[in-house]
Amino acid sequence: MNRFDYVRPTTVEEAVRAIGSAANARFIAGGTNLVDLMKYNVERPERLVDITRLPLEAIEDHDGGLRIGALVTNSTVAYDERIKERYPLLSSAILAGASGQLRNAATTGGNLNQRTRCYYFYDEATPCNKREPGSGCQAIGGVNRIHAIFGTSEACIATHPSDMCVALAALEAEVRVTGPGGERRIPFAEFHRLPGDTPQYDTTLKADEIVLSVDLPDADFAGHHTYLKLRDRLSYAFALVSVAAVMKRDGDTITEARFALGGVAHKPWRNTEAEASLKGKSATRESFEAAAEIVMREAKPQSENGFKIELARRAIIRGLTQAAAGTPQSQSDKRIA
């Protein structure tokens, strides 16, 4: 492991100064992703800024919704009674990810900023445009079973690994950040990036900015939601395809529907045209199939992941069906109908 400086600020202002005064600095809190990357020599920070003493560990009422501090652990969010009552989709998504030990250490801000689990990204011996821009993407034409089918580019086909972020996309959360230029809010749909020609950048967060909180809007989706995660094994595996779905109904009529996919793109994937197609429709399989078809028009499989197209189509239909019925996904049943 490379030598690095280590600092532990006690205020947000100190943290921003510390991250901005070193050419290659990284924030560290739970360390559940960054430490692995450092061990694999993928990340070689010259300075680690330990932010665990910052006052960002609260879940508070905010503007009719809830504000989750960047240092609130995933376990705390998942088991918070306010989250379970008002935003159960988020609780379900978090509990579908990682292990209990990791959720106890992983933070909200860290989850937002975790990096892909692409094999080639972690293998320093292979070309990877995310590690070394311009070197190439070995996954294209290589072992790409777990890779993206939406939003890819000739530079990168990696996927974002988070479960939590898929739920936050469907809930239309906001990310509150600050830096030398002051505080700003980033709509969740704009926080993560598609790879394009610069896959080394995962988010729109600037290098000298820090995440302060995730703000959940005032919304009533508690009655109709589901998080469906399809993976190679039941526990401790990243999604091949996941669906976070929320819905409002007036009788049998859908008045609003949102759903996001995980495991299929460089960011949580939403299709607002498909969501809009459900408004005013009856909550039927036919309506859900039509919405799924709209989403899948943009799918572009790689050499080994064509199965994800049918898997994602079925997952959308099942996720919307479960959300409409108010029957969240059981943690013991991950089969596709």
Side-chain angles (χ1 to χ4, degrees):
M1 185 175 288
N2 294 345
R3 293 181 178 273
F4 55 86
D5 294 334
Y6 174 84
V7 296
R8 181 181 271 185
T10 57
T11 68
V12 171
E13 292 76 15
E14 289 175 359
V16 170
R17 286 197 296 269
I19 202 75
S21 59
N24 184 20
R26 296 289 186 272
F27 289 123
I28 187 168
T32 56
N33 186 206
L34 178 60
V35 171
D36 281 346
L37 293 171
M38 292 173 66
K39 288 178 178 178
Y40 280 93
N41 241 5
V42 176
E43 291 274 8
R44 304 179 183 88
E46 298 173 8
R47 169 180 291 175
L48 287 184
V49 181
D50 184 341
I51 59 173
T52 54
R53 291 188 178 181
L54 302 188
L56 302 173
E57 296 181 309
I59 300 177
E60 304 170 312
D61 292 330
H62 174 73
D63 199 22
L66 289 177
R67 170 167 285 174
I68 304 171
L71 292 178
V72 179
T73 66
N74 287 180
S75 289
T76 299
V77 176
Y79 292 114
D80 185 275
E81 291 300 325
R82 294 163 294 179
I83 297 291
K84 290 195 294 182
E85 179 181 351
R86 299 169 62 185
Y87 307 96
L89 174 68
L90 179 57
S91 178
S92 296
I94 292 173
L95 293 175
S99 64
Q101 294 92 332
L102 285 173
R103 292 194 297 266
N104 287 342
T107 62
T108 298
N111 195 302
L112 263 61
N113 286 289
Q114 65 178 303
R115 308 206 69 188
T116 185
R117 266 49 176 200
C118 172
Y119 318 122
Y120 300 103
F121 175 65
Y122 270 78
D123 185 357
E124 197 184 15
T126 63
C128 173
N129 288 319
K130 291 182 76 64
R131 277 198 333 270
E132 185 180 348
S135 63
C137 176
Q138 198 80 353
I140 298 175
V143 179
N144 52 42
R145 180 175 178 273
I146 68 170
H147 286 72
I149 57 174
F150 294 108
T152 58
S153 73
E154 295 182 1
C156 182
I157 59 172
T159 59
H160 192 266
S162 174
D163 292 290
M164 183 189 81
C165 289
V166 184
L168 291 175
L171 292 170
E172 294 189 344
E174 276 192 336
V175 184
R176 187 171 63 104
V177 308
T178 193
E183 188 174 307
R184 66 188 181 109
R185 297 170 180 271
I186 307 173
F188 206 82
E190 299 173 13
F191 184 78
H192 296 101
R193 301 175 68 258
L194 292 178
D197 296 327
T198 53
Q200 67 271 29
Y201 301 117
D202 295 333
T203 73
T204 56
L205 190 70
K206 298 176 183 177
D208 55 0
E209 288 184 319
I210 184 173
V211 174
L212 298 176
S213 69
V214 171
D215 293 351
L216 297 172
D218 183 13
D220 182 18
F221 289 114
H224 295 280
H225 73 278
T226 201
Y227 188 72
L228 174 63
K229 181 177 181 179
L230 305 170
R231 42 191 162 172
D232 284 322
R233 59 184 185 273
L234 185 60
S235 64
Y236 198 28
F238 295 102
L240 293 171
V241 175
S242 64
V243 179
V246 290
M247 192 178 296
K248 294 180 182 178
R249 293 179 56 180
D250 181 5
D252 189 48
T253 302
I254 300 167
T255 59
E256 185 176 3
R258 300 183 203 155
F259 60 96
L261 304 182
V264 296
H266 201 255
K267 61 185 291 185
W269 191 259
R270 282 182 68 190
N271 185 306
T272 54
E273 179 188 354
E275 292 174 348
S277 75
L278 292 169
K279 188 173 182 179
K281 299 289 181 62
S282 295
T284 63
R285 183 177 181 89
E286 290 71 24
S287 297
F288 303 149
E289 287 177 345
E293 292 304 321
I294 292 172
V295 176
M296 302 317 298
R297 289 174 193 161
E298 298 179 293
K300 180 182 178 182
Q302 302 299 318
S303 56
E304 296 184 351
N305 71 356
F307 72 95
K308 281 194 176 188
I309 292 181
E310 181 61 14
L311 189 64
R313 188 188 71 82
R314 293 190 180 206
I316 292 168
I317 296 167
R318 178 168 175 171
L320 290 171
T321 300
Q322 291 180 174
T327 54
Q329 175 73 3
S330 167
Q331 291 299 305
S332 63
D333 180 13
K334 302 294 190 243
R335 295 167 298 173
I336 268 289

